[in-house]
Amino acid sequence: MRSAWEMTEETTGPTGSLRPMSSVDHRAFSEELVAFIRAEVAIGDHPLEADTDLVLTGLVDSLGIVLVVEWIESRLDITIDPGDIVIEHFDMVASMVTYLRGRSDTSLD
Amino acid sequence: MTEIETLDDLLDTAVTIAGADTEAITDGRSRLSWGEYRDLAGRIATALLRSGVTPGDRVGVHLHKSVHSFASVHGVLRAGAVMVPLDALAPVAAINAVLRDAGASAIVTAASGEALAAITAGTSVTGVVTPLADSVAVPGSSTIGADRLVGLEPAPPPVVDPDDLAYLMYTSGSTGTPKGMAHTHRSGLTYARLAAETYTVDSSDRLANIAPLHFDQSTFELYAAPLVGASVLVVPDGVLRFPASLAKLIADERITVWYSVPYVIDQMVSRGAIEDHDLGSLRWILYGGEPFPPTALARAMRAIPSARVSNIYGPAEVNQCTVYNLDTPPTDDAPIPIGRAWSGAALRLVDETGKPVAPGAPGELLVSSDTMMRGYWNRPDLDARAIAQEDGRRWYRTGDLIAERSDGNLVFVGRVDNQVKVRGHRVEVEAVEAALLDIDGIDAAAVLVDRPASGDDHLVAVVSPEAATVDGRDADLIRQLAATLPRYAVPSRVVGLDDLPRTGTGKVDRRAVGRAVGVGDDRGDHRADR
């Protein structure tokens, strides 16, 4: 499966002007994040979708949240302030995407 | 202080002390006054009685932390039944095992449909109360939900004796079979009374409930708070995973007394952006369950200078038995003592033959106290090992090796068995190893505790042959374990080795395995797997 980064190169504008390196389709990013959590973080066998509550299902514990934050920081080349790692932003993948799209330093479209 | 004798009277006591209209409890979303809290518990009690519950029956409480989970605990007690707290985040098999062992006849839950059927399969549960969902009719039984609760009259006080059982607190046994500590109204209420006195809790206090219901620290907020009319913030499960959310909630709710394992405090201090929040309302931080690394404790005390700190020690079998108070941050890396005997607790340090140890030498700690459980639920074999009758008193053998310093303070040295603690939860490593050996393709297993300096304690499984694992965090193996073990007992990492080091008798040598894979204790608090 191609990564979101490969897809980004294909979505450079028709005029040839390069979009920011971090530009990435938010749906592809969401799928990639779900796949990462499913493969590397999730505990237990509860089904996992973008709108699944990660904590109340028991899928992700405190260590898992740290892994998720590190993955996002690495993927998008950003730093997430500890004060932003709150339940409203990280209770499910959909919340994370909404939060990240609202940041001015990421280019989730 | 009002002299009540049973836990079912606590909410009446609180209404008398604090007033029916005074705020009693919140989870950040819902808020109840003492009158509302008492009435909700009373209606849940009525629902249980209508479901066929009779005094002495065991009733499971299976809810995520909320005002409703607290009210359900008091509802079970008001029905004269024995409360069995269940881990809402545990796998179905673990919850089912507790309900079976307890012989529970009813459950207060948020589960429904297939999930409820799976949890109660093969148990004697017939009564189901769902305070957060509407009633559902199912073949053979029916649930009483929020829609029917509203119209019920609160139950009157039950006829219970102080020495009747009040709650069963379950922990994992070494064979993987859970064991229930059976506490009476007397042991629970004695603890509540002593805790409120020791930490000078009164109706002006606001207590943060951090621990889940099935963890014994929660008895502080469940019982000591209403005894003196102190209000409680039940911190939701979700918020606990986010230190910044936790810090904001503690500050917004003006919490005065906090009780948790060290990890939660350290995470809030180090990752909770606490400079953005005023935590100055905190006057007393109680911690227990496992050692607090001194450097992390010093960081926490400097960050929250308004609070004095107490290290609380006591297996859930006896609630609490020692306390050590700190008014200034530790200045070196020496382990923090567990202090001296708590009010009313008699302590002895003995060797393998039961004789007192020499001054300063480590010995197993025996405790005798009115806060002690009656015994393990339906396990006379465990009682025979754990409870000794001497000098006309009942003594609980803690299994903890303790030494007395020259200044009279006690220090924790280790365990006499292979029980370890992960963020305050007891884990018998043999039970986790047995679960690993049940998985096809695994021939040998050792379970270790990694205690990095960061404080992120976790279990590491080492298995052979190496081909049984895929990489350093084998998701499939971890998933299989998570289907049967409580989550705190699920290793975070799996390491494969073709041969595990063994002792001269052929047993897996956990210490040597730890050396082979570089897993151990970087904090020097002597709590590593032995």
Side-chain angles (χ1 to χ4, degrees), chain B residues 138-449:
Chain B
V138 291
S141 68
S142 65
T143 66
I144 297 179
D147 53 333
R148 289 176 62 193
L149 277 176
V150 174
L152 298 178
E153 283 294 317
V159 178
V160 291
D161 186 86
D163 290 315
D164 286 344
L165 290 186
Y167 58 94
L168 302 182
M169 195 68 79
Y170 271 86
T171 184
S172 65
S174 57
T175 60
T177 304
K179 58 182 179 185
M181 291 162 259
H183 277 278
T184 62
H185 286 267
R186 188 187 304 280
S187 63
L189 196 53
T190 302
Y191 164 74
R193 195 164 274 136
L194 291 174
E197 285 173 8
T198 305
Y199 310 113
T200 60
V201 182
D202 64 28
S203 60
S204 67
D205 276 308
R206 290 178 63 73
L207 276 50
N209 164 250
I210 310 290
L213 288 184
H214 65 282
F215 193 71
D216 71 317
Q217 289 180 353
S218 64
T219 53
F220 182 54
E221 299 88 26
L222 277 170
Y223 308 134
L227 184 68
V228 294
S231 56
V232 171
L233 163 68
V234 183
V235 180
D237 295 311
V239 171
L240 276 179
R241 306 298 186 277
F242 297 94
S245 298
L246 177 58
K248 181 176 188 307
L249 193 56
I250 296 297
D252 288 351
E253 294 291 338
R254 307 299 296 161
I255 295 305
T256 61
V257 183
W258 162 302
Y259 186 15
S260 79
V261 292
Y263 178 78
V264 182
I265 304 166
D266 185 51
Q267 288 291 294
M268 185 177 76
V269 168
S270 59
R271 297 177 43 223
I274 59 170
E275 64 278 6
D276 296 341
H277 305 291
D278 176 9
L279 298 176
S281 59
L282 280 168
R283 69 172 181 83
W284 211 322
I285 291 175
L286 317 176
Y287 78 85
E290 60 187 355
F292 210 142
T295 50
L297 176 56
R299 182 170 59 220
M301 292 187 72
R302 284 193 295 269
I304 311 174
S306 59
R308 80 182 308 203
V309 172
S310 291
N311 179 15
I312 290 172
Y313 164 84
E317 284 85 346
V318 293
N319 280 298
Q320 177 178 345
C321 51
T322 72
V323 60
Y324 182 78
N325 298 321
L326 295 97
D327 289 313
T328 55
T331 54
D332 59 31
D333 287 338
I336 309 300
I338 59 171
R340 298 161 189 264
W342 198 45
S343 308
L347 310 180
R348 297 172 60 198
L349 294 177
V350 300
D351 64 18
E352 296 88 340
T353 65
K355 294 199 172 63
V357 296
E364 183 180 10
L365 179 69
L366 272 52
V367 185
S368 182
S369 163
D370 287 342
T371 61
M372 179 176 158
M373 66 174 182
R374 177 195 288 177
Y376 294 104
W377 173 250
N378 282 346
R379 293 298 300 273
D381 57 323
L382 294 178
D383 287 349
R385 282 207 296 271
I387 300 173
Q389 295 276 357
E390 279 181 43
D391 309 329
R393 307 181 67 142
R394 298 162 68 241
W395 295 83
Y396 171 66
R397 300 179 203 276
T398 63
D400 287 338
L401 288 172
I402 305 287
E404 184 174 355
R405 294 194 322 198
S406 55
D407 65 359
N409 281 305
L410 302 170
V411 290
F412 183 91
V413 178
R415 285 284 302 173
V416 299
D417 55 17
N418 287 311
Q419 183 192 100
V420 297
K421 289 278 190 88
V422 179
R423 296 180 200 165
H425 292 281
R426 292 185 204 179
V427 178
E428 310 274 356
V429 295
E430 292 95 336
V432 185
E433 290 167 355
L436 279 161
L437 292 172
D438 279 344
I439 297 173
D440 284 345
I442 293 180
D443 298 331
V447 172
L448 315 167
V449 186

Side-chain angles (χ1 to χ4, degrees), chain A residues 37-45 53 55-63 65-67 69 81-91, chain B residues 29 64 88-89 237-245 263 267 270-273 276 423 456-458 471 473 475 478-479 482-483 487 490 492:
Chain A
I37 295 172
R38 202 177 273 148
E40 304 291 337
V41 180
I43 301 170
D45 54 4
D53 190 306
V55 174
L56 293 187
T57 54
L59 282 166
V60 175
D61 60 10
S62 306
L63 293 176
I65 290 162
V66 173
L67 292 175
V69 169
D81 187 86
D84 276 356
I85 306 171
V86 292
I87 190 166
E88 295 85 351
H89 297 160
F90 285 86
D91 60 343
Chain B
R29 291 182 181 173
H64 286 298
L89 292 172
D237 295 311
V239 171
L240 276 179
R241 306 298 186 277
F242 297 94
S245 298
Y263 178 78
Q267 288 291 294
S270 59
R271 297 177 43 223
D276 296 341
R423 296 180 200 165
D456 288 338
D457 294 357
H458 55 271
D471 52 40
R473 191 180 190 281
I478 288 171
R479 208 156 282 145
R487 52 190 304 102
V490 176
S492 303

Side-chain angles (χ1 to χ4, degrees), chain B residues 496-510:
Chain B
L497 288 179
D498 271 334
D499 289 300
L500 298 192
R502 294 190 181 260
T503 64
T505 60
K507 287 182 173 177
V508 172
D509 184 341
R510 295 192 186 89

